[in-house]
Amino acid sequence: MNDALDSSDNWTQHLVWGAPEWIVPAAILAVVLAAAIGWSYTRSRASTPIRVLAATLKLIAVALMLLCLLQPMWRGERPRPQANLFPILVDTSQSMQLQDADEELSRGQNFANTLAADSDWRVQLEQTFDVRLFGADSRLSRLADIDTIEFNGMQSSMQTSIDALSQRLKGRPVAGALLFSDGNLTDPSVEQIASTDFPFPIFPVLPDAPTTPTDLRLERVSVTQSDFETSPMTVRADVMATGLKDQEVVVQLLNASGTSVEEKTVTIEKEGELQSVTFRFRPEQSGTQFYRVLAFTPSQRKSIRSQIDEGSAWLEGSSGDEATLRNNQRWIDVQPRRGPFRILYLAGRPNWEFKFLRRALQSDAETQLVGLLRIADKEPKFSFRDKGVNSSNPLFAGLGEDEEETREQYDEAVMIRLGVKESEELSQGFPETSEELFAYHGIILDDIEPEFFTQDQMLLLRQFVSLRGGGLLMLGGQESFNDDSFGKTPLGELSPVYAPRNRSDRPAPGGKWSITREGMLQPWQRLRETEAAEKLRLSKMPPFRVTHEVGDIKPGAIELAQLETSSGRPAPAFITQRFGKGRTAAMPIGDYWRWSMRKNQYDNTSEVSDDPAQAWRQMARWLVGEVPRRVELTIEPDGSTGSTNLRVLVRDESYLPMENATVTLNVTGEDGVSIPLTARPDANELGTYAATFVSRDSGRFTVSADAKAADQSFIGNDEGGWVSDPGMEETQRLSWNISWLDNLAESTGGEVLRVSNLGDFVSDLPNREIPVTETWVYPLWHQTWVMLLAMACLCGEWGLRRWKGLA
């Protein structure tokens, strides 16, 4: 119940008579005295107003005296001293170090001064309630005193801290809680504000006039990796400013040593406008690398550069009108896929295609091309009884008797191997086991008929794509896509196009290469950065003459390129589809080499680039770009806790999940110290091994994962890196999140307070609903003012009589 009268309360419920037995005598006496006073003044010679006033004063004095006989008292309820808890929750995160506009102190310092132990409102609050001080950043903690607060928390997990506070005080009488925070949360689900059945009201406290400091920040930075050879890495940075307009902003990309890779300037025309900057570049080397993105105004260049030259990995402090430089920088990790990627090229006859493809991939250190070329088909042997006839192929005549075991026989095709790394590699022709075929990442079939493969080899080729996740590219040629049985074999199943239903005896018409709309969205299909430049390049390409008629494109397949024929009807030029875990593509063109032969004839620019070679390299990188490895490392940073989940997937030689492997991890920080970890098998996912690395500090980390089999034989390794910046989210929003604080107060039954109103709030707090109260009785009659009022009335009445000569 409330201490004061509420509009809905009946005041008679609070009035108590201490001597009710005097009600009747007092009433009788009141009537007698009132009659006597009235009779005496009716006989007075004074004027009527004077008589009425004097009589009234005497009647009031008599009434007060008679009420004292009844001993009137006022009864109510009030909080029992120190029986109710009243926690004070203070945001101790780094965002409280920010200094608002027109403020001399930071947000945290202003709150600390307000919360001083000797402040009037806090002294008054502690006289009635059990006040406890809590801090909230990444977790809830108990504070001894406001003087011990250090606003250095990496997170603002306010929702989590509020829930933890309600759990800690569950079952205890809590009158309410004060919250001193800017309302900027870093909880994963900030929309889940306290429910309406929260056990106690929360009262957020805001400054009298909250302001927003001037700030320039990187809103977000994203990294995209593509198979675009000239710029495989794309970094997009979104810049936003508060309190700035018509201001030039420099966005810079630096490598780990602080050297500028690229720099761009944008203009922010109005406050809150989002400007995007894109950097496209090629990493300096393979493996994990770190780059830094900076955003600053021209006037800040010198001060920021000085911090970088001093070796500061993280910008600190403020510069100019900006409240902080912490959000002007982002570290990103770039992880180009490491090779070597091995591609098996199988051709039905020697041709120009292999020559130019091999020459193009020689400049790519991460891609290795292994060639298996058929130089002669198998020949029938007609002399069955003549013992003098040699059983080996005539192409091997004259090589000597010591080559007898390696000679292809009459019933075997003559194959040559190019680019093999071991003498036994492909010595028996196209692989017949999964262990041998799965060692490659991609396969290119050129001018080869389905009859070349055995049924087991074709099924193995299907498994290579569907289970191993490899890439398969089918090129055009004299023997490609021709046989009527092509569509009925696993090769036809792997092809993204159907076999033609009614093949014409006439050759398919040639045409000029053009990229479809879907192809323009694939960076590896383009050789220029802009669409206009790409269309200009395509117009200068030579036409292709040897094409193959194919059927319809399969459902789910995508046509990335076409041939513009003379008939006006486009023909498919490059079609791709997903197949199981891998991908397949078909390019039914038999003279793609013609472009390499005539590249200078159709390009009259002063600087002629080797576009055909670049196209081959990008096509090869796309073919093997998503092919899984036997050991794959996945990094899952958790910015809210500072922990990083490291997961390693290990496969056997058939690329099935492998059990009983030993996986060790080595994490290296900026200090160069390596920390070993042992990954444990994941109970929910076969072949996956997991470990957790925890770091509360900001930094750049690299990790290497090594996997060994049960017999301690080496399986493979993978590496990666990540950037840990737990405090980054603290400066992503500098304005006061008043809307969240309003919702929090409304949903818990509290209200948003201002610093200047804390005194009035504490004074009115006993009038609110309190869990533990006590009943108190206040004697109205035993008060000095009652006697003084009665004496004043009697003296006033006597004075009137003396003044009018009635005494």
Side-chain angles (χ1 to χ4, degrees):
M1 297 181 60
N2 294 336
D3 182 38
L5 285 177
D6 190 83
S7 59
S8 61
D9 287 342
N10 186 353
W11 65 270
T12 57
Q13 297 177 358
H14 301 276
L15 187 61
V16 179
W17 303 103
E21 66 275 9
W22 283 93
I23 293 179
V24 175
I28 297 174
L29 188 58
V31 172
V32 173
L33 292 177
I37 294 173
W39 178 79
S40 64
Y41 275 101
T42 57
R43 302 180 60 189
S44 174
R45 298 187 303 271
S47 61
T48 301
I50 296 298
R51 285 182 295 166
V52 171
L53 179 59
T56 301
L57 291 174
K58 182 172 286 189
L59 287 173
I60 292 174
V62 171
L64 289 174
M65 295 300 179
L66 293 176
L67 283 175
C68 290
L69 293 176
L70 302 178
Q71 298 181 11
M73 294 179 292
W74 191 262
R75 182 178 61 185
E77 291 186 357
R78 63 185 177 189
R80 182 180 299 173
Q82 304 302 315
N84 298 280
L85 297 174
F86 206 98
I88 298 178
L89 189 61
V90 184
D91 187 351
T92 56
S93 63
Q94 291 182 352
S95 64
M96 303 304 292
Q97 297 179 4
L98 298 174
Q99 186 172 333
D100 292 333
D102 303 326
E103 291 287 344
E104 297 181 357
L105 301 176
S106 66
R107 296 172 178 177
Q109 291 172 332
N110 284 328
F111 277 157
N113 293 339
T114 303
L115 285 164
D118 57 351
S119 57
D120 295 338
W121 70 270
R122 186 173 172 183
V123 171
Q124 183 180 359
L125 183 67
E126 292 177 345
Q127 289 175 350
T128 306
F129 298 94
D130 182 6
V131 178
R132 300 185 182 184
L133 199 61
F134 293 89
D137 39 58
S138 59
R139 59 185 180 86
L140 181 71
S141 60
R142 182 72 184 272
L143 301 177
D145 195 2
I146 192 65
D147 296 333
T148 62
I149 296 180
E150 296 181 359
F151 299 95
N152 56 3
M154 293 293 185
Q155 299 290 325
S156 294
S157 302
M158 297 306 303
Q159 182 62 55
T160 304
S161 298
I162 291 174
D163 293 339
L165 181 63
S166 66
Q167 292 296 323
R168 178 177 293 192
L169 302 181
K170 185 176 182 180
R172 306 286 298 277
V174 182
L178 290 175
L179 173 62
F180 289 81
S181 172
D182 55 10
N184 291 322
L185 287 74
T186 60
D187 296 82
S189 55
V190 298
E191 72 277 359
Q192 297 180 357
I193 305 175
S195 59
T196 53
D197 57 350
F198 201 78
F200 53 84
I202 297 179
F203 303 91
V205 181
L206 288 174
D208 294 336
T211 57
T212 301
T214 301
D215 181 57
L216 172 67
R217 66 181 180 275
L218 287 167
E219 188 71 10
R220 68 181 67 88
V221 176
S222 60
V223 182
T224 305
Q225 181 176 348
S226 70
D227 297 297
F228 199 0
E229 181 181 281
T230 56
S231 54
M233 290 295 171
T234 301
V235 176
R236 175 173 174 173
D238 295 334
V239 185
M240 182 176 287
T242 303
L244 295 175
K245 61 180 180 178
D246 298 327
Q247 175 69 56
E248 284 192 350
V249 174
V250 179
V251 184
Q252 199 173 53
L253 179 67
L254 309 177
N255 60 16
S257 61
T259 304
S260 176
V261 176
E262 192 175 355
E263 179 180 304
K264 293 186 178 181
T265 302
V266 295
T267 301
I268 296 181
E269 298 180 354
K270 57 183 179 179
E271 182 177 351
E273 180 183 17
L274 191 68
Q275 289 283 359
S276 297
V277 177
T278 301
F279 299 104
R280 294 185 175 90
F281 67 101
R282 187 176 185 84
E284 302 169 353
Q285 57 188 9
S286 61
T288 303
Q289 300 174 62
F290 296 97
Y291 290 84
R292 177 168 18 189
V293 182
L294 297 175
F296 53 86
T297 60
S299 60
Q300 296 174 326
R301 181 187 294 269
K302 186 176 180 180
S303 61
I304 290 179
R305 190 66 226 183
S306 63
Q307 291 196 39
I308 296 175
D309 293 339
E310 292 174 359
S312 298
W314 309 90
L315 298 180
E316 300 293 343
S318 59
S319 178
D321 296 331
E322 271 203 86
T324 179
L325 292 177
R326 189 69 175 81
N327 54 11
N328 291 49
Q329 166 189 285
R330 287 284 186 93
W331 278 101
I332 58 175
D333 57 286
V334 173
Q335 303 179 38
R337 280 182 59 87
R338 297 183 303 113
F341 303 103
R342 309 196 75 220
I343 299 177
L344 174 59
Y345 181 93
L346 176 63
R349 57 174 49 84
N351 54 34
W352 293 103
E353 214 70 84
F354 179 74
K355 170 186 176 181
F356 292 113
L357 174 59
R358 186 182 186 186
R359 183 181 298 175
L361 295 184
Q362 281 179 346
S363 60
D364 188 352
E366 300 295 326
T367 306
Q368 298 177 1
L369 183 66
V370 179
L372 185 62
L373 280 65
R374 182 175 62 186
I375 61 174
D377 205 349
K378 55 185 178 181
E379 297 183 6
K381 179 182 177 182
F382 297 102
S383 180
F384 299 100
R385 298 181 179 179
D386 190 356
K387 298 182 178 180
V389 177
N390 196 338
S391 61
S392 63
N393 195 293
L395 285 176
F396 290 85
L399 294 180
E401 296 298 331
D402 56 340
E403 300 292 335
E404 182 71 27
E405 295 181 357
T406 61
R407 298 177 185 180
E408 279 80 358
Q409 305 301 311
Y410 268 97
D411 57 347
E412 294 178 343
V414 179
M415 312 292 293
I416 61 173
R417 302 172 296 151
L418 299 172
V420 295
K421 62 180 181 180
E422 297 177 359
S423 60
E424 298 298 324
E425 184 178 5
L426 302 177
S427 60
Q428 301 299 320
F430 190 79
E432 297 182 353
T433 63
S434 60
E435 290 78 5
E436 186 177 3
L437 185 61
F438 287 6
Y440 300 97
H441 299 83
I443 297 176
I444 300 177
L445 302 181
D446 184 11
D447 200 1
I448 197 75
E449 69 280 1
E451 289 76 13
F452 172 82
F453 304 96
T454 65
Q455 188 66 24
D456 291 339
Q457 286 176 328
M458 282 193 291
L459 293 176
L460 187 61
L461 193 60
R462 187 185 189 279
Q463 293 176 359
F464 172 81
V465 179
S466 61
L467 297 181
R468 196 262 188 253
L472 175 65
L473 173 61
M474 302 178 184
L475 301 180
Q478 183 175 344
E479 306 294 340
S480 302
F481 307 101
N482 281 342
D483 196 276
D484 293 337
S485 63
F486 171 80
K488 300 178 182 179
T489 64
L491 284 181
E493 185 181 0
L494 291 170
S495 173
V497 293
Y498 291 107
R501 296 181 180 178
N502 299 312
R503 183 184 298 276
S504 174
D505 295 335
R506 300 174 58 186
K512 295 202 65 174
W513 186 281
S514 67
I515 302 178
T516 64
R517 182 178 179 182
E518 291 79 6
M520 281 293 182
L521 300 177
Q522 303 295 327
W524 62 272
Q525 273 283 328
R526 306 192 308 267
L527 303 183
R528 302 290 186 269
E529 292 189 1
T530 63
E531 184 177 359
E534 185 65 21
K535 290 183 177 180
L536 179 61
R537 179 192 70 81
L538 292 173
S539 66
K540 296 180 179 181
M541 284 184 62
F544 299 108
R545 300 179 183 177
V546 182
T547 61
H548 293 271
E549 183 180 356
V550 294
D552 296 334
I553 298 176
K554 291 183 178 180
I558 304 175
E559 186 179 21
L560 302 180
Q562 295 176 337
L563 288 182
E564 298 177 352
T565 62
S566 57
S567 64
R569 182 180 179 181
F574 198 98
I575 313 96
T576 180
Q577 71 171 358
R578 302 294 306 187
F579 192 92
K581 295 181 180 179
R583 54 174 51 154
T584 64
M587 188 169 67
I589 299 175
D591 59 342
Y592 197 72
W593 50 265
R594 193 180 303 276
W595 183 19
S596 300
M597 297 283 285
R598 300 185 178 184
K599 60 182 180 181
N600 297 337
Q601 179 180 348
Y602 289 86
D603 196 341
N604 298 323
T605 58
S606 57
E607 296 182 1
V608 179
S609 59
D610 195 350
D611 285 346
Q614 180 181 341
W616 270 124
R617 286 191 293 269
Q618 292 185 181
M619 197 180 301
R621 278 301 185 103
W622 168 83
L623 188 65
V624 300
E626 296 182 3
V627 177
R629 299 172 177 272
R630 291 191 61 186
V631 178
E632 287 190 334
L633 170 66
T634 303
I635 302 174
E636 302 173 351
D638 187 354
S640 61
T641 61
S643 63
T644 302
N645 297 322
L646 305 174
R647 300 174 63 84
V648 182
L649 177 60
V650 183
R651 302 180 176 92
D652 59 16
E653 293 181 349
S654 298
Y655 277 78
L656 297 176
M658 186 175 185
E659 296 183 88
N660 301 325
T662 302
V663 179
T664 57
L665 301 165
N666 286 284
V667 180
T668 305
E670 294 183 359
D671 54 3
V673 178
S674 180
I675 302 174
L677 299 174
T678 300
R680 304 296 181 185
D682 192 326
N684 300 321
E685 189 173 349
L686 186 65
T688 300
Y689 302 80
T692 301
F693 179 80
V694 180
S695 175
R696 301 293 182 185
D697 300 327
S698 300
R700 294 160 289 167
F701 298 90
T702 58
V703 58
S704 176
D706 296 329
K708 294 182 180 180
D711 59 358
Q712 296 303 305
S713 61
F714 184 72
I715 300 175
N717 78 316
D718 196 7
E719 65 178 33
W722 76 94
V723 177
S724 177
D725 191 4
M728 177 188 63
E729 297 182 12
E730 281 297 297
T731 55
Q732 283 305 106
R733 178 173 178 174
L734 304 190
S735 59
W736 295 79
N737 194 353
I738 299 179
S739 61
W740 184 84
L741 295 174
D742 285 337
N743 291 334
L744 176 66
E746 181 180 357
S747 61
T748 59
E751 62 178 290
V752 177
L753 307 174
R754 301 293 176 174
V755 170
S756 59
N757 297 332
L758 282 174
D760 297 336
F761 167 74
V762 173
S763 300
D764 184 61
L765 194 57
N767 300 330
R768 301 173 182 264
E769 186 175 354
I770 304 299
V772 180
T773 60
E774 62 181 7
T775 303
W776 61 277
V777 178
Y778 185 79
L780 297 178
W781 64 276
H782 199 275
Q783 301 296 321
T784 305
W785 66 269
V786 176
M787 184 60 65
L788 291 178
L789 179 60
M791 293 177 61
C793 291
L794 292 176
C795 291
E797 187 269 345
W798 179 78
L800 286 175
R801 289 192 295 108
R802 290 285 296 178
W803 178 37
K804 296 299 183 180
L806 300 177

